[in-house]
Amino acid sequence: MSNVPNFKEIVSESKGLWVSALFGAIVGWNPRREFVEYKNMFFDVVKELLDNQIIRFCSPQDPLGKDEPYWNVDSDTIISYLKEKWPQGVTDENDEELNNYFYFIPAILWSDSSGHYIGS
């Protein structure tokens, strides 16, 4: 299971919501941490959710999933893409650049436990 503290609570609180809610749940369930820890936890949580097929993302070429149901690549490729797009110089979870990041990366899709993925 996950090495991220409060993983189950984070997922439970953010399931079905935007990726920004997932980041917010990480911060909320792990108060008084350094911002870089939140960033690392975010990528760890996303990777685990991808590997366990709990989430998927829309493709960067189709960020709202209009033509492709989801981005059909391995989790490492997705994590690399998300890390590459992470805004430089962000040091606070309330930074406007971080907020923009969550809106401009491909949409997150959550499994409805019947094999279908739905966006928030």
Side-chain angles (χ1 to χ4, degrees):
M1 197 61 186
S2 181
N3 62 347
V4 174
N6 304 302
F7 178 82
K8 288 182 183 180
E9 293 84 355
I10 291 165
V11 173
S12 177
E13 185 173 296
S14 57
K15 187 168 184 161
L17 301 175
W18 287 31
V19 72
S20 57
L22 179 62
F23 189 82
I26 290 166
V27 173
W29 282 98
N30 294 283
R32 295 177 296 283
R33 303 259 183 154
E34 296 293 321
F35 183 77
V36 70
E37 291 179 85
Y38 296 137
K39 175 184 171 183
N40 293 335
M41 282 190 263
F42 172 73
F43 292 121
D44 289 346
V45 168
V46 169
K47 174 123 174 66
E48 185 164 342
L49 293 175
L50 286 165
D51 288 344
N52 289 305
Q53 299 180 350
I54 296 168
I55 64 167
R56 296 193 186 254
F57 282 88
C58 292
S59 166
Q61 290 75 34
D62 188 15
L64 298 177
K66 293 179 181 179
D67 297 320
E68 299 178 54
Y70 55 84
W71 195 4
N72 194 15
V73 296
D74 62 273
S75 64
D76 290 331
T77 299
I78 295 171
I79 295 299
S80 292
Y81 176 89
L82 295 175
K83 285 181 176 181
E84 178 184 306
K85 299 297 181 185
W86 187 268
Q88 299 298 314
V90 173
T91 59
D92 181 83
E93 64 268 16
N94 297 314
D95 191 299
E96 184 177 332
E97 289 301 313
L98 182 61
N99 188 45
N100 289 337
Y101 167 80
F102 291 129
Y103 286 107
F104 289 112
I105 61 172
I108 190 171
L109 306 169
W110 291 86
S111 173
D112 67 0
S113 68
S114 68
H116 297 98
Y117 290 88
I118 54 175
S120 54

